[in-house]
Amino acid sequence: MSAQIIDGNALAQTVRTELAEKAAALKASRGITPCLAVILVGEDPASAVYVRNKVSACEKAGFRSIKEVYPADVEPAVVLGKIAALNADPDVHGILVQLPLPKQFDADAVLEAIVPEKDVDGFHAENVGALMQGNPRFIPCTPYGVMKMLESANVPLKGAEAVIVGRSNIVGKPMAMLLLAQSCTVTVCHSQSKDLAFHTKRADILVAAVGRAKMITGDMIKPGATVIDVGINRTADGKLCGDVDFDSCKEVAGAITPVPGGVGPMTITMLLANTLESAERTLK
Ligand code: GUN
């Protein structure tokens, strides 16, 4: 039997329509337009596409956006100066620096330079700590999107075995915190894990976030499992594919997300949600 496909495009559309309505209401009632500032350094093609998609999603939802682009060899002080100006601008509600940054940057120092109240990525140490304490200010967008997808597919979480492959600060670690907060039993696997398939086969919920094309195959998953694919890779012939081998896994899984059209659209949707939330908080 083939798995239920969790359609990220459809869910993203539904949530973005709600966010656009809320943004319009905020503007009409309080004269506030949610505004996201995005900083891109360098010419990495994938980052340029992500930033373009973020800005375009803002426009479609009636948000304001500011896009600042710097050459790869820019002095970090220039970018830090721009962050300071955006921090001080009351009309800006979210600030995002697209990662990765070129070598001359201390990425942690850049993330710490954003005031936590505008850190819609949820990457500032203060916000990471708040998430870990179970009291998040901003939930990092990709794991937040995954939680929305699990909710929309009515996946039971309490007591479920959740296995995450990948331990990045952007996905793996915050994903573990969110699933733990919903009372999953959480295992985090990584490149040094000894017997990956042993772990993945035990998962009721498997989240793949490693960045290796089609590395999770059908023989590595438990029948009926929910499989969430965070990977975005390109095959030799230029096609997009995830970390999950969709064709073999969909025959074993109970539910699965496709690539493209799965987690990707939800990540940007939750960025909009965080930006709106930040704008609404200025009223409190
Ligand atoms: N690079 C890859 N994913 C992300 C993300 O979610 N936020 C930022 N700022 N950079 C990224």
Side-chain angles (χ1 to χ4, degrees):
M1 206 185 72
S2 215
Q4 174 202 345
I5 310 296
I6 307 177
D7 183 342
N9 280 327
L11 181 60
Q13 197 48 57
T14 305
V15 177
R16 286 187 204 192
T17 302
E18 286 168 18
L19 294 170
E21 285 166 8
K22 285 185 184 163
L26 187 64
K27 188 171 181 185
S29 64
R30 312 299 293 257
I32 294 174
T33 303
C35 174
L36 174 69
V38 184
I39 295 176
L40 172 65
V41 184
E43 284 93 36
D44 177 55
S47 290
V49 171
Y50 293 141
V51 165
R52 193 173 343 120
N53 290 344
K54 287 170 185 178
V55 167
S56 135
C58 281
E59 279 159 18
K60 286 189 187 132
F63 289 28
R64 199 160 77 83
S65 66
I66 297 169
K67 180 175 164 184
E68 299 285 345
V69 182
Y70 296 97
D73 61 357
V74 68
E75 285 290 330
V78 174
V79 175
L80 291 169
K82 174 49 76 176
I83 292 172
L86 293 167
N87 281 342
D89 184 340
D91 294 332
V92 172
H93 307 104
I95 304 171
L96 177 154
V97 178
Q98 187 66 27
L99 302 173
L101 285 165
K103 284 192 287 290
Q104 74 272 26
F105 282 85
D106 174 350
D108 287 339
V110 172
L111 297 177
E112 302 310 296
I114 299 169
V115 285
E117 293 77 11
K118 296 188 183 186
D119 167 39
V120 284
D121 259 331
F123 293 165
H124 190 289
E126 190 177 311
N127 290 333
V128 174
L131 175 67
M132 192 141 188
Q133 289 180 325
N135 188 24
R137 182 192 268 127
F138 291 113
I139 299 173
C141 305
T142 299
Y144 195 2
V146 171
M147 295 308 285
K148 286 277 172 202
M149 296 178 97
L150 294 173
E151 187 187 314
S152 80
N154 294 313
V155 176
L157 299 179
K158 201 186 284 185
E161 291 287 341
V163 176
I164 300 160
V165 189
R167 55 176 158 180
S168 70
N169 290 340
I170 294 180
V171 184
K173 287 182 202 167
M175 191 77 250
M177 289 304 128
L178 294 174
L179 290 167
L180 192 58
Q182 295 305 314
S183 303
C184 292
T185 303
V186 178
T187 304
V188 182
C189 300
H190 46 77
S191 55
Q192 305 302 308
S193 294
K194 280 205 179 104
D195 184 352
L196 182 61
F198 165 81
H199 296 286
T200 58
K201 273 187 205 158
R202 292 175 50 252
D204 300 311
I205 299 163
L206 178 64
V207 180
V210 256
R212 274 182 53 198
K214 301 187 186 185
M215 71 165 294
I216 305 290
T217 47
D219 56 333
M220 294 170 70
I221 64 176
K222 176 171 162 180
T226 299
V227 179
I228 306 286
D229 190 353
V230 178
I232 302 179
N233 312 288
R234 270 193 200 279
T235 56
D237 56 3
K239 281 199 188 133
L240 279 187
C241 74
D243 293 348
V244 171
D245 178 37
F246 186 80
D247 290 339
S248 63
C249 287
K250 79 173 193 308
E251 301 306 326
V252 185
I256 188 166
T257 66
V259 176
V263 175
M266 285 307 291
T267 293
I268 299 189
T269 302
M270 302 330 288
L271 177 64
L272 297 178
N274 281 347
T275 304
L276 175 68
E277 172 83 37
S278 181
E280 288 175 343
R281 281 182 196 154
T282 62
L283 298 170
K284 289 180 186 153

